[in-house]
Amino acid sequence: MRIAVPAALALAADPLASLVDTAFVGRLGSMEIAAVGVSIAIFNQVSKVCIYPLVSVTTSFVAEEDAIISKGVEEEKSEDLEKASSADNDMNELPSFSDSERTSCGNAFYLATECVNVSRYGCKRKYIPSVSSALIVGGVLGLLQAIFLICAAKLVLNIMGVKHGSPMLTPALRYLTLRSLGAPAVLLSLAMQGVFRGFKDTKTPLYATVAGDVTNIILDPILMFVFHLGISGAAIAHVFSQYLITTILLCRLVRQVDVVPPSIKALKFSRFLRCGFLLLARVIAVTFCVTLAASLAARDGPIIMAAFQICLQLWLATSLLADGLAVAGQAILASAFARKDYHKAVTATSRVLQLSVVLGIALTVLLGVGMQFGSGIFTKDANVMKIIHRAIPFVAGTQSINSLAFVFDGVNFGASDYTFSAYSMVAVAVVSIPSLIFLSSHLGFMGIWISLTIYMSLRTIASTWRMGAARGPWSFLRR
């Protein structure tokens, strides 16, 4: 819980700040909130393609490498100091891994010699390869994302259903272009959050995120209404807050670890990218379903899109609280599997799954009541509010399913089960995408939410089967 609670608060802070953005933009009118909704859906889709693999592998790899380094230091202080030191210097790897395991992306086996030596001689900072790799990859991907979105904003909006002549086009284009300037900061900050989570330190990312989001909330009304910048002010406030978060995290990180690699070879990019590409396939399948849902809602006009945007933000903001448990489970499991402590792995997995069910039930009650009486916070349009109320059974009722799905993701990543995570999610998308298209065309707005419920249910079922069948990294359960 010491890991999960700050992680949950940090993860919830950004969607909650987006909810505040939505509330402020909603004062400008339904057209503006619909335009911002489409732009956010595009930005999130492109960002998650980069962010999710980057953060997920960083958390697991840092946790594994930190555990191995700590284990090496402990062994060197034991009575078998000479033997342990010789093994470290000659092999620079854990001797318990087989040759087949060394070719997989799931195991931390190669570590720079500098890691153990730095710890042995008592230096305050240590070098961990995945930290430097994450920062480099995050910075490069952030720049590429910003260039892509700025240059192709109109094309992407057109694909999303905002055609030439649509009243949403101009405000959506303005918001998306400005917000894209913050892409490098977004990816760098989230890469560093993955690093701190690997160290089981979720308080530092929480403090940085809260500082940035509070700044965003303060700047929103000032830029939007005092300086009359409208939705451009909302985008500028968000960009400024992201660079503030990045600056805070970087200052803290360089005090804790050495981020400059001793050589290019020490970065171990191959394993990092191999696992990242597996998760890239997974995240494309995950986010495509949600982005397709937003696109289908946008084609039905600004009223439907405005209602969908508010419901989606509530759905994601509350569901992401479960990611706090997922982060805790992932960090603990990655360390446990690196040390081959299977008893700890089973205990941690059982606990996070139990807590996810409790959290899901609490969120269902909270959302069911909150959406019924509090939808007026986000819009004063009676037509939009009426549509929001129709979605309450789905937005609130799926919280237990969502919580389990998110927590299972953390469990799978902690066990380095990336291959199954990728393939199973592609299979889920193959079923969910046709259901979205078919049900939305026949049932409209309600059909979209029925399809999203099917999508989350299939995610949960796939992970439940994997563990229940004791396959992959869970094969030890048969013994």
Tab-separated table of all heavy atoms in Angstrom, residues 215-250:
chain	number	residue	atom	x	y	z
A	215	THR	N	-0.336	23.687	-11.003
A	215	THR	CA	0.046	24.812	-11.864
A	215	THR	C	-0.877	24.899	-13.075
A	215	THR	O	-1.312	25.990	-13.476
A	215	THR	CB	1.499	24.655	-12.338
A	215	THR	OG1	2.365	24.580	-11.194
A	215	THR	CG2	1.922	25.820	-13.204
A	216	ASN	N	-1.199	23.740	-13.643
A	216	ASN	CA	-2.110	23.693	-14.792
A	216	ASN	C	-3.485	24.251	-14.425
A	216	ASN	O	-4.070	25.059	-15.167
A	216	ASN	CB	-2.232	22.245	-15.271
A	216	ASN	CG	-3.110	22.111	-16.498
A	216	ASN	OD1	-3.307	23.057	-17.259
A	216	ASN	ND2	-3.635	20.916	-16.703
A	217	ILE	N	-3.998	23.826	-13.273
A	217	ILE	CA	-5.329	24.263	-12.841
A	217	ILE	C	-5.343	25.769	-12.571
A	217	ILE	O	-6.328	26.462	-12.866
A	217	ILE	CB	-5.752	23.468	-11.587
A	217	ILE	CG1	-5.975	21.993	-11.964
A	217	ILE	CG2	-7.011	24.055	-10.968
A	217	ILE	CD1	-6.180	21.083	-10.770
A	218	ILE	N	-4.249	26.293	-12.017
A	218	ILE	CA	-4.179	27.730	-11.741
A	218	ILE	C	-4.105	28.536	-13.040
A	218	ILE	O	-4.756	29.580	-13.192
A	218	ILE	CB	-2.963	28.045	-10.845
A	218	ILE	CG1	-3.158	27.433	-9.462
A	218	ILE	CG2	-2.745	29.556	-10.726
A	218	ILE	CD1	-1.935	27.530	-8.569
A	219	LEU	N	-3.315	28.040	-13.993
A	219	LEU	CA	-3.125	28.768	-15.250
A	219	LEU	C	-4.341	28.701	-16.165
A	219	LEU	O	-4.561	29.618	-16.972
A	219	LEU	CB	-1.899	28.219	-15.988
A	219	LEU	CG	-0.528	28.542	-15.384
A	219	LEU	CD1	0.572	27.874	-16.198
A	219	LEU	CD2	-0.307	30.042	-15.348
A	220	ASP	N	-5.124	27.625	-16.069
A	220	ASP	CA	-6.287	27.455	-16.957
A	220	ASP	C	-7.203	28.683	-16.971
A	220	ASP	O	-7.409	29.286	-18.030
A	220	ASP	CB	-7.074	26.199	-16.564
A	220	ASP	CG	-6.698	25.009	-17.425
A	220	ASP	OD1	-6.127	25.213	-18.513
A	220	ASP	OD2	-6.976	23.872	-17.012
A	221	PRO	N	-7.813	29.054	-15.849
A	221	PRO	CA	-8.740	30.193	-15.900
A	221	PRO	C	-8.046	31.516	-16.226
A	221	PRO	O	-8.649	32.399	-16.852
A	221	PRO	CB	-9.345	30.219	-14.491
A	221	PRO	CG	-8.341	29.523	-13.621
A	221	PRO	CD	-7.719	28.488	-14.493
A	222	ILE	N	-6.778	31.646	-15.811
A	222	ILE	CA	-6.061	32.895	-16.089
A	222	ILE	C	-5.863	33.073	-17.592
A	222	ILE	O	-6.170	34.123	-18.169
A	222	ILE	CB	-4.704	32.913	-15.359
A	222	ILE	CG1	-4.910	32.922	-13.842
A	222	ILE	CG2	-3.873	34.127	-15.784
A	222	ILE	CD1	-3.623	32.802	-13.043
A	223	LEU	N	-5.347	32.030	-18.245
A	223	LEU	CA	-5.079	32.126	-19.680
A	223	LEU	C	-6.360	32.092	-20.514
A	223	LEU	O	-6.459	32.771	-21.540
A	223	LEU	CB	-4.144	30.991	-20.112
A	223	LEU	CG	-2.743	30.999	-19.497
A	223	LEU	CD1	-1.941	29.789	-19.961
A	223	LEU	CD2	-2.008	32.280	-19.871
A	224	MET	N	-7.348	31.301	-20.078
A	224	MET	CA	-8.565	31.138	-20.871
A	224	MET	C	-9.494	32.345	-20.783
A	224	MET	O	-10.046	32.788	-21.801
A	224	MET	CB	-9.312	29.874	-20.426
A	224	MET	CG	-8.606	28.576	-20.766
A	224	MET	SD	-9.432	27.133	-20.067
A	224	MET	CE	-10.998	27.187	-20.946
A	225	PHE	N	-9.659	32.887	-19.560
A	225	PHE	CA	-10.681	33.913	-19.361
A	225	PHE	C	-10.107	35.318	-19.102
A	225	PHE	O	-10.669	36.302	-19.559
A	225	PHE	CB	-11.595	33.500	-18.213
A	225	PHE	CG	-12.225	32.147	-18.418
A	225	PHE	CD1	-11.956	31.089	-17.555
A	225	PHE	CD2	-13.074	31.917	-19.488
A	225	PHE	CE1	-12.525	29.848	-17.737
A	225	PHE	CE2	-13.653	30.665	-19.688
A	225	PHE	CZ	-13.377	29.638	-18.812
A	226	VAL	N	-8.988	35.391	-18.379
A	226	VAL	CA	-8.391	36.698	-18.114
A	226	VAL	C	-7.692	37.232	-19.364
A	226	VAL	O	-7.867	38.395	-19.753
A	226	VAL	CB	-7.410	36.632	-16.931
A	226	VAL	CG1	-6.737	37.991	-16.722
A	226	VAL	CG2	-8.130	36.190	-15.664
A	227	PHE	N	-6.899	36.346	-20.016
A	227	PHE	CA	-6.196	36.748	-21.230
A	227	PHE	C	-6.986	36.421	-22.500
A	227	PHE	O	-6.499	36.652	-23.607
A	227	PHE	CB	-4.818	36.089	-21.293
A	227	PHE	CG	-3.841	36.631	-20.295
A	227	PHE	CD1	-3.681	36.029	-19.059
A	227	PHE	CD2	-3.099	37.770	-20.568
A	227	PHE	CE1	-2.772	36.520	-18.131
A	227	PHE	CE2	-2.196	38.282	-19.649
A	227	PHE	CZ	-2.039	37.664	-18.415
A	228	HIS	N	-8.175	35.836	-22.325
A	228	HIS	CA	-9.105	35.566	-23.437
A	228	HIS	C	-8.469	34.702	-24.533
A	228	HIS	O	-8.683	34.933	-25.726
A	228	HIS	CB	-9.612	36.889	-24.040
A	228	HIS	CG	-10.229	37.809	-23.038
A	228	HIS	ND1	-11.451	37.560	-22.453
A	228	HIS	CD2	-9.781	38.976	-22.514
A	228	HIS	CE1	-11.745	38.539	-21.604
A	228	HIS	NE2	-10.749	39.414	-21.613
A	229	LEU	N	-7.703	33.688	-24.116
A	229	LEU	CA	-7.086	32.786	-25.082
A	229	LEU	C	-7.953	31.576	-25.399
A	229	LEU	O	-7.620	30.787	-26.292
A	229	LEU	CB	-5.722	32.322	-24.555
A	229	LEU	CG	-4.647	33.412	-24.419
A	229	LEU	CD1	-3.375	32.836	-23.830
A	229	LEU	CD2	-4.358	34.053	-25.767
A	230	GLY	N	-9.042	31.380	-24.656
A	230	GLY	CA	-9.947	30.266	-24.930
A	230	GLY	C	-9.270	28.922	-24.781
A	230	GLY	O	-8.481	28.691	-23.855
A	231	ILE	N	-9.553	28.012	-25.736
A	231	ILE	CA	-8.973	26.670	-25.628
A	231	ILE	C	-7.467	26.684	-25.871
A	231	ILE	O	-6.757	25.765	-25.457
A	231	ILE	CB	-9.656	25.676	-26.588
A	231	ILE	CG1	-9.482	26.105	-28.044
A	231	ILE	CG2	-11.124	25.532	-26.244
A	231	ILE	CD1	-10.000	25.065	-29.010
A	232	SER	N	-6.947	27.723	-26.530
A	232	SER	CA	-5.491	27.844	-26.673
A	232	SER	C	-4.844	28.014	-25.304
A	232	SER	O	-3.763	27.478	-25.050
A	232	SER	CB	-5.139	29.042	-27.562
A	232	SER	OG	-5.630	28.863	-28.878
A	233	GLY	N	-5.494	28.748	-24.415
A	233	GLY	CA	-4.983	28.916	-23.062
A	233	GLY	C	-4.930	27.609	-22.306
A	233	GLY	O	-3.988	27.356	-21.543
A	234	ALA	N	-5.952	26.742	-22.507
A	234	ALA	CA	-5.961	25.434	-21.851
A	234	ALA	C	-4.784	24.581	-22.327
A	234	ALA	O	-4.136	23.891	-21.533
A	234	ALA	CB	-7.277	24.717	-22.125
A	235	ALA	N	-4.487	24.644	-23.628
A	235	ALA	CA	-3.378	23.869	-24.181
A	235	ALA	C	-2.035	24.383	-23.659
A	235	ALA	O	-1.147	23.598	-23.280
A	235	ALA	CB	-3.413	23.926	-25.702
A	236	ILE	N	-1.869	25.711	-23.612
A	236	ILE	CA	-0.616	26.298	-23.140
A	236	ILE	C	-0.380	25.956	-21.668
A	236	ILE	O	0.744	25.627	-21.260
A	236	ILE	CB	-0.632	27.823	-23.340
A	236	ILE	CG1	-0.644	28.156	-24.838
A	236	ILE	CG2	0.567	28.481	-22.668
A	236	ILE	CD1	-0.888	29.618	-25.144
A	237	ALA	N	-1.425	26.023	-20.866
A	237	ALA	CA	-1.302	25.684	-19.447
A	237	ALA	C	-0.849	24.233	-19.270
A	237	ALA	O	-0.013	23.923	-18.412
A	237	ALA	CB	-2.632	25.920	-18.737
A	238	HIS	N	-1.403	23.338	-20.080
A	238	HIS	CA	-1.035	21.922	-19.979
A	238	HIS	C	0.428	21.707	-20.359
A	238	HIS	O	1.149	20.958	-19.690
A	238	HIS	CB	-1.941	21.086	-20.882
A	238	HIS	CG	-1.718	19.615	-20.760
A	238	HIS	ND1	-2.312	18.843	-19.789
A	238	HIS	CD2	-0.931	18.762	-21.471
A	238	HIS	CE1	-1.916	17.590	-19.906
A	238	HIS	NE2	-1.081	17.513	-20.926
A	239	VAL	N	0.879	22.361	-21.435
A	239	VAL	CA	2.268	22.218	-21.879
A	239	VAL	C	3.232	22.717	-20.804
A	239	VAL	O	4.237	22.059	-20.487
A	239	VAL	CB	2.486	22.973	-23.199
A	239	VAL	CG1	3.978	23.035	-23.541
A	239	VAL	CG2	1.723	22.300	-24.335
A	240	PHE	N	2.951	23.861	-20.228
A	240	PHE	CA	3.819	24.418	-19.189
A	240	PHE	C	3.906	23.474	-17.993
A	240	PHE	O	4.990	23.255	-17.433
A	240	PHE	CB	3.287	25.785	-18.738
A	240	PHE	CG	4.175	26.482	-17.745
A	240	PHE	CD1	5.252	27.252	-18.163
A	240	PHE	CD2	3.952	26.362	-16.376
A	240	PHE	CE1	6.081	27.882	-17.245
A	240	PHE	CE2	4.771	26.978	-15.453
A	240	PHE	CZ	5.844	27.752	-15.890
A	241	SER	N	2.783	22.906	-17.606
A	241	SER	CA	2.776	22.007	-16.444
A	241	SER	C	3.612	20.760	-16.702
A	241	SER	O	4.289	20.250	-15.795
A	241	SER	CB	1.342	21.616	-16.089
A	241	SER	OG	0.780	20.765	-17.073
A	242	GLN	N	3.604	20.240	-17.925
A	242	GLN	CA	4.373	19.037	-18.245
A	242	GLN	C	5.874	19.289	-18.181
A	242	GLN	O	6.639	18.445	-17.705
A	242	GLN	CB	3.978	18.517	-19.628
A	242	GLN	CG	2.570	17.958	-19.708
A	242	GLN	CD	2.343	16.823	-18.738
A	242	GLN	OE1	3.187	15.935	-18.569
A	242	GLN	NE2	1.199	16.831	-18.072
A	243	TYR	N	6.316	20.446	-18.650
A	243	TYR	CA	7.746	20.760	-18.570
A	243	TYR	C	8.172	20.984	-17.118
A	243	TYR	O	9.314	20.692	-16.747
A	243	TYR	CB	8.075	21.979	-19.425
A	243	TYR	CG	8.245	21.623	-20.884
A	243	TYR	CD1	7.219	21.819	-21.797
A	243	TYR	CD2	9.431	21.051	-21.342
A	243	TYR	CE1	7.370	21.472	-23.127
A	243	TYR	CE2	9.590	20.696	-22.672
A	243	TYR	CZ	8.555	20.906	-23.566
A	243	TYR	OH	8.703	20.538	-24.879
A	244	LEU	N	7.274	21.487	-16.290
A	244	LEU	CA	7.586	21.652	-14.868
A	244	LEU	C	7.770	20.289	-14.204
A	244	LEU	O	8.715	20.083	-13.427
A	244	LEU	CB	6.466	22.438	-14.169
A	244	LEU	CG	6.617	22.618	-12.655
A	244	LEU	CD1	7.896	23.392	-12.325
A	244	LEU	CD2	5.392	23.333	-12.082
A	245	ILE	N	6.883	19.346	-14.496
A	245	ILE	CA	6.988	17.993	-13.945
A	245	ILE	C	8.308	17.345	-14.362
A	245	ILE	O	9.013	16.732	-13.541
A	245	ILE	CB	5.802	17.127	-14.413
A	245	ILE	CG1	4.487	17.641	-13.816
A	245	ILE	CG2	6.015	15.659	-14.029
A	245	ILE	CD1	3.252	16.976	-14.389
A	246	THR	N	8.667	17.486	-15.630
A	246	THR	CA	9.907	16.899	-16.139
A	246	THR	C	11.126	17.465	-15.428
A	246	THR	O	12.055	16.730	-15.051
A	246	THR	CB	10.022	17.152	-17.649
A	246	THR	OG1	8.901	16.565	-18.317
A	246	THR	CG2	11.304	16.553	-18.211
A	247	THR	N	11.140	18.771	-15.221
A	247	THR	CA	12.270	19.420	-14.560
A	247	THR	C	12.439	18.923	-13.125
A	247	THR	O	13.551	18.624	-12.678
A	247	THR	CB	12.085	20.946	-14.559
A	247	THR	OG1	11.955	21.411	-15.907
A	247	THR	CG2	13.265	21.638	-13.897
A	248	ILE	N	11.333	18.806	-12.403
A	248	ILE	CA	11.386	18.344	-11.010
A	248	ILE	C	11.922	16.915	-10.928
A	248	ILE	O	12.807	16.598	-10.124
A	248	ILE	CB	9.992	18.430	-10.361
A	248	ILE	CG1	9.539	19.895	-10.245
A	248	ILE	CG2	9.996	17.773	-8.980
A	248	ILE	CD1	8.109	20.060	-9.793
A	249	LEU	N	11.397	16.030	-11.785
A	249	LEU	CA	11.809	14.627	-11.752
A	249	LEU	C	13.271	14.462	-12.138
A	249	LEU	O	14.006	13.658	-11.532
A	249	LEU	CB	10.923	13.799	-12.683
A	249	LEU	CG	9.487	13.571	-12.222
A	249	LEU	CD1	8.689	12.852	-13.305
A	249	LEU	CD2	9.441	12.764	-10.937
A	250	LEU	N	13.716	15.206	-13.138
A	250	LEU	CA	15.102	15.076	-13.580
A	250	LEU	C	16.080	15.533	-12.490
A	250	LEU	O	17.117	14.898	-12.260
A	250	LEU	CB	15.320	15.884	-14.856
A	250	LEU	CG	16.692	15.741	-15.522
A	250	LEU	CD1	16.971	14.286	-15.881
A	250	LEU	CD2	16.785	16.624	-16.760
